[in-house]
């Protein structure tokens, strides 16, 4: 099964959105991902761990994963999901989330 990567968020974009008072939203725009809609995408920190947050829903059978690249070079993934979910993907303590994205198949 091949995953399609259709949205992503870099830490600088998240910071710019936070400074403007609005978190950037990601919309499915790659052909074949119209059944996946993601919003409220941002990178945050809860005081002990950095994370990537996203909310995605599906309108057709689609499987999706949320991913975060961390400052130590690791990539953490949650999923698979096949319905609406609000997801937090955490980096290890002491590292920073650098980029977050959603990948899908179906």
């Amino acid at each position: 099964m091949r995953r399609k990567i259709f949205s992503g968020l870099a830490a600088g974009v998240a910071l710019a959105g936070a400074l403007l008072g609005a978190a950037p939203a990601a919309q499915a725009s790659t052909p074949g991902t119209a059944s996946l809609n993601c919003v409220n995408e941002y990178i945050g920190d809860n005081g002990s761990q950095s994370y990537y947050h996203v909310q995605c829903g599906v309108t057709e059978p689609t499987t999706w994963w949320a991913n975060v690249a961390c400052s130590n070079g690791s990539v953490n993934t949650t999923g698979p999901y096949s319905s609406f979910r609000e997801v937090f993907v955490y980096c290890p303590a002491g590292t920073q989330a650098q980029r977050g994205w959603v990948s899908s198949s179906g």
Side-chain angles (χ1 to χ4, degrees):
M1 196 180 306
R2 188 169 185 206
R3 292 186 191 176
K4 300 173 201 158
I5 299 172
F6 78 93
S7 72
L9 180 68
V13 174
L15 179 58
L19 293 174
L20 295 174
Q27 297 291 323
S29 60
T30 300
T33 61
S35 63
L36 182 61
N37 183 38
C38 297
V39 296
N40 297 329
E41 191 178 22
Y42 61 87
I43 290 181
D45 192 304
N46 65 11
S48 61
Q49 283 183 283
S50 182
Y51 60 85
Y52 168 64
H53 170 272
V54 67
Q55 293 173 306
C56 292
V58 298
T59 58
E60 296 176 9
T62 301
T63 302
W64 63 277
W65 296 260
N67 312 277
V68 66
C70 305
S71 60
N72 67 349
S74 67
V75 174
N76 294 339
T77 301
T78 62
Y81 304 109
S82 58
S83 61
F84 174 82
R85 291 281 195 262
E86 178 177 15
V87 175
F88 293 84
V89 190
Y90 290 88
C91 286
T95 66
Q96 295 296 312
Q98 301 291 305
R99 184 172 67 95
W101 69 97
V102 173
S103 52
S104 69
S105 67

